[in-house]
């Protein structure tokens, strides 16, 4: 087993994932019952049967609604992911991991190895078991860099598996099933695109859980949280740009756009907390700066809330999330007005102060001022400072009252005692500040405080982690170099050729790297008579596998051939038959069907000549001293020169890359 399999998530998060898996199974069961009932309703004309089916449908729909609410509750269980040291900060919102069903690669891969690579699939039992263990471990990764590395290793193995086993001309019969993170609706496909996209989503989700768990009472913890949420946003953006028209709703462009905004908003909130962690200096400039920083956080969360309440996202996003974003929007808006009020009420313009600098700073805080007022008037006139300051305090109090009201409407938010304590303490602070500056003799002024312009010195940006840093070794490298022995290439079955030297000359030269290729074959030599052809790849010499051996190693094996000769195994490249354009679709729950045409490019002129006159060339692989220099000159890769007469120089048909071609649903 791998060492990183030893890292397991905490019991609380593992229990949450088990609940999610159980709910997903119940949801798919109810969906199957509903589909069967709907089909029966369409097929029957018997009124009694129809009445019974309609009644059953109402029960099934009720059960589905209850299950969806339970799944929403799991997505709202943010307290499970918070740091145990967090007692004075607003909880952050993490993403839950997508659940998947187990996949058995054994039968399909063994059959493919036997049919396509002409090798016994049982010899690869250990490699297949390691692959399945790795995928199984990815279902419950630890909330740490080790968990991220685990998912990245499996993700980096997927292109290798795709090249080895997923041919563009045939189906593997392996189905990958993933459940929607928000609705629990399953999506099933045969190609690896869904697998890749889901692993990327889970990597982003794991980063959000790491960020939520960070200790935000320390600079190091805040930096970890900032980096984690920015990386999560980068991965989600990469997912959105790379995989389009995904059948799973949680990875649709609209949902991903909302999630990216939410991750960046939480990163911006952590940047604000990092700025205020050492404390806020009680001076005019620092307070106005922090007011604009708080406004920036409020503005980003307001954008998140606005995207959450738009159709169709609002139908699937947990109410907890949209309510939480609305609360944080009001909370930081209130803080911004409190900071401006404190700057105006606690600090007066003294003769020693820089009047021009204060005027410039205050003018940059407001987009517009009430008619007839200017920044300099507010700074110089004590009564104006007092009126504007109290107006800001009123807006701060109202914003926190709105946040508390919204918090009381959501059952899940009422469980978060720390959130209510923070909101109440902030509200009380604004109330106390207003009371300290309230004078009963003054005429009540209901002037509306102007809006504050958002500004930040540290803006949250998307950060895409470099997945290629996690190096992997191909599980199935024993099959040979991937550039040659891939699923899209076709060969003959291995043929055994008996080599017998003729006057010290075997009758051919070798070329290429790994594996080596036969070129310049003498048609009159014994090897040619035994079936050796130009362009054949040598895959074994005697009992030695040569797929990974270069020319010099193979020459060493053939050097001491005696009169009895030696047997070699060779394979011949076959013409790749380009598949016809395919049209396929995937149906997922109540999602619409998606059709896509895939047209494969191929060259009609790419045909080997049926016959070719071959003349004996002067330089053959000979172990004599006179031919050693000539044979050394053939240690180069074959070129794709169209004018060449050698069969290995013909260009191969081109196929779409693995990132753009899908052999099942053609949805990515």
């Amino acid at each position: 087993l791998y060492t990183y399999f030893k890292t397991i998530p905490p019991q609380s998060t593992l229990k949450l994932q088990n609940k999610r898996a159980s709910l997903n199974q119940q949801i798919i069961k109810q969906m199957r019952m509903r589909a069967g009932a709907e089909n029966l309703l369409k097929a029957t004309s018997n009124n009694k049967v129809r009445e019974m089916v309609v009644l059953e449908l109402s029960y099934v729909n009720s059960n589905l609604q209850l299950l969806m609410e339970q799944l929403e509750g799991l997505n709202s269980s943010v307290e499970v992911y918070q740091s145990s040291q967090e007692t004075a900060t607003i909880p952050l919102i993490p993403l839950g991991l997508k659940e998947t069903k187990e996949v058995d690669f054994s039968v399909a891969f063994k059959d493919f190895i036997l049919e396509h690579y002409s090798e016994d699939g049982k010899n690869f039992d250990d490699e297949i078991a390691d692959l399945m263990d790795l995928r199984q471990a990815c279902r419950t990764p630890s909330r740490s860099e080790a968990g991220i590395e685990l998912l990245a290793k499996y993700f980096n193995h997927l292109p290798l598996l795709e090249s080895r086993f997923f041919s563009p001309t045939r189906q593997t019969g392996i189905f990958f099933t993933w459940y929607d993170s928000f609705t629990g609706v399953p999506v099933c496909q045969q190609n690896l695109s869904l697998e890749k996209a889901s692993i990327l989503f889970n990597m982003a989700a794991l980063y959000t859980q790491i960020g939520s768990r960070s200790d935000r009472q320390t600079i190091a913890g805040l930096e970890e949280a900032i980096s984690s949420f920015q990386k999560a946003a980068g991965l989600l953006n990469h997912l959105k740009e790379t995989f389009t028209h995904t059948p799973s709703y949680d990875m649709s462009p609209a949902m991903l756009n909302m999630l990216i905004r939410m991750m960046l908003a939480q990163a911006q909130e952590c940047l604000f907390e990092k700025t205020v962690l050492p404390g806020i200096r009680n001076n005019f400039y620092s307070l106005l700066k922090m007011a604009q920083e708080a406004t920036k956080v409020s503005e980003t969360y307001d954008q998140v809330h606005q995207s959450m309440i738009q159709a169709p996202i609002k139908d699937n996003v947990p109410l907890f999330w949209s309510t939480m974003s609305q609360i944080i929007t009001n909370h930081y808006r209130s803080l911004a007005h409190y900071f401006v009020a404190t700057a105006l009420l606690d600090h007066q313009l003294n003769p020693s102060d820089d009047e021009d600098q204060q005027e410039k700073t205050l003018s940059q805080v407001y987009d517009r001022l009430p008619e007839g007022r200017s920044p300099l008037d507010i700074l110089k006139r004590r009564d104006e400072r007092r009126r504007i300051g109290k107006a800001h305090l009123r807006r701060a109090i109202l914003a926190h009252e709105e946040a508390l009201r919204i918090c009381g409407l959501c059952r899940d938010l009422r469980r978060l005692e720390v959130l209510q304590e923070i909101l109440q303490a902030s509200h009380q602070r604004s109330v106390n500040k207003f009371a300290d500056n309230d004078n009963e003799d003054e005429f009540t002024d209901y002037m509306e405080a102007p809006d504050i312009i958002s500004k930040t010195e540290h803006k949250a940006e998307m950060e895409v982690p470099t997945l290629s840093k996690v190096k992997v070794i191909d599980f199935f490298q024993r099959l040979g170099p991937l550039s040659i022995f891939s699923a899209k290439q076709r060969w003959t079955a291995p043929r055994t050729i008996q080599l017998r030297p003729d006057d010290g000359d075997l009758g051919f030269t070798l070329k290429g790297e790994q594996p080596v290729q036969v070129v310049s074959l003498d048609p009159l030599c014994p090897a040619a008579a035994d079936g050796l052809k130009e362009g054949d790849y040598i895959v074994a010499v005697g009992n030695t596998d040569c797929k990974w051996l270069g020319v010099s190693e193979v020459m060493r094996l053939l050097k001491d051939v005696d009169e009895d000769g030696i047997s070699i195994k060779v394979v011949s490249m076959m013409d790749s038959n380009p598949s016809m354009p395919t049209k396929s679709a995937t149906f997922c729950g109540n999602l619409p069907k998606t059709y896509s045409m895939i047209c494969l490019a191929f060259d009609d002129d790419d045909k080997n000549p049926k016959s070719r006159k071959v003349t004996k060339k002067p330089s053959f692989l000979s172990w004599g001293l006179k031919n050693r220099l000539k044979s050394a000159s053939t240690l180069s890769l074959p070129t794709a020169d169209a004018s060449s007469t050698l069969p290995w120089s013909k260009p191969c048909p081109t196929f779409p890359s693995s990132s753009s071609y899908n052999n099942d649903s053609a949805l990515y």
Side-chain angles (χ1 to χ4, degrees), residues 575 578 600-608 650-651 653:
D575 288 337
L600 302 184
F602 62 94
D603 186 1
D604 290 333
D605 297 330
D606 184 24
K607 299 177 181 177
N608 289 328
K650 293 290 291 180

Side-chain angles (χ1 to χ4, degrees), residues 162-438:
E162 190 168 30
S163 298
R164 290 283 190 197
F165 298 104
F166 291 81
S167 170
T169 59
R170 57 168 286 180
Q171 301 289 349
T172 61
I174 298 175
F175 290 89
F176 300 96
T177 302
W178 287 86
Y179 295 89
D180 192 289
S181 181
F182 298 105
T183 65
V185 175
V187 178
C188 186
Q189 288 187 353
Q190 288 195 65
N191 61 47
L192 278 174
S193 295
L194 177 64
E195 187 88 344
K196 293 177 184 177
S198 299
I199 291 295
L200 278 179
F201 184 93
N202 275 1
M203 288 183 67
L206 199 56
Y207 269 121
T208 66
Q209 295 181 16
I210 293 173
S212 300
R213 183 214 57 185
S214 302
D215 182 7
R216 287 148 63 202
Q217 300 299 317
T218 64
I219 294 294
L222 283 167
E223 288 177 346
E224 180 185 42
I226 294 165
S227 176
S228 296
F229 283 111
Q230 290 184 150
K231 288 177 180 178
L235 282 171
L236 292 171
N237 186 65
H238 177 66
L239 175 59
K240 182 190 70 172
E241 294 179 347
T242 307
F243 301 91
T244 58
H245 306 293
T246 53
S248 184
Y249 180 74
D250 54 1
M251 295 187 291
S252 64
M255 180 62 76
L256 290 176
N257 278 329
M258 185 278 294
L259 292 176
I260 292 169
R261 287 176 181 168
M262 187 172 75
M263 298 310 128
L264 291 178
Q266 295 189 121
Q268 193 68 50
E269 182 181 6
C270 293
L271 283 167
F272 176 85
E273 292 177 351
K274 181 182 176 182
T275 305
V276 303
L277 185 62
I280 303 173
R281 293 180 58 195
N282 190 9
N283 67 44
F284 184 80
Y285 299 107
S286 296
L287 289 168
L288 292 184
K289 173 187 172 183
M290 296 315 303
Q292 292 188 288
E293 292 278 359
T295 304
K296 180 63 177 179
V297 179
S298 175
E299 182 180 81
T300 55
Y301 268 102
D302 186 50
Q303 293 172 355
V304 173
H305 178 253
Q306 292 303 319
S307 62
M308 284 183 179
I309 61 177
Q310 301 297 322
I313 296 177
K314 66 178 181 180
D315 298 327
N316 295 288
V317 168
L319 176 64
F320 175 90
W321 288 18
S322 59
T323 307
M324 189 72 165
S325 62
Q326 196 175 5
I327 289 173
I328 299 177
T329 298
N330 283 285
H331 172 67
Y332 279 96
R333 182 181 296 146
S334 176
L335 288 183
H337 285 289
Y338 175 81
F339 289 142
V340 174
T342 304
L344 294 175
L345 294 172
D346 292 1
H347 302 278
Q348 303 298 325
L349 185 61
N350 298 318
S352 59
D353 294 333
D354 189 338
E355 181 179 299
D356 293 338
Q357 184 62 31
Q358 286 202 14
E359 180 186 9
K360 179 181 178 182
T361 303
L362 187 62
S363 64
Q364 293 174 347
V365 171
Y366 297 128
D367 186 18
R368 60 178 180 82
L369 284 170
E371 188 176 353
R373 292 178 174 83
S374 66
L376 190 59
D377 291 337
I378 296 174
L379 291 172
K380 286 186 174 182
R381 295 175 56 184
R382 185 181 296 269
D383 59 333
E384 283 297 317
R385 291 177 77 114
R386 189 179 184 85
R387 291 180 63 195
I388 298 290
K390 290 176 66 176
H392 280 293
L393 282 176
R394 280 194 293 270
R395 288 197 65 175
I397 293 170
L398 290 174
H400 267 133
E401 288 177 348
E402 178 66 9
L404 286 167
R405 184 189 70 82
I406 297 171
C407 185
L409 296 177
C410 182
R411 178 190 60 190
D412 296 312
L413 283 170
R414 290 197 296 269
R415 298 199 313 261
L416 297 178
E417 296 180 0
V418 62
L419 175 61
Q420 296 187 48
E421 291 173 359
I422 291 172
L423 295 177
Q424 290 170 357
S426 300
H427 174 258
Q428 190 61 44
R429 182 176 57 184
S430 297
V431 170
N432 294 340
K433 190 74 174 178
F434 188 86
D436 293 341
N437 290 272
D438 190 24

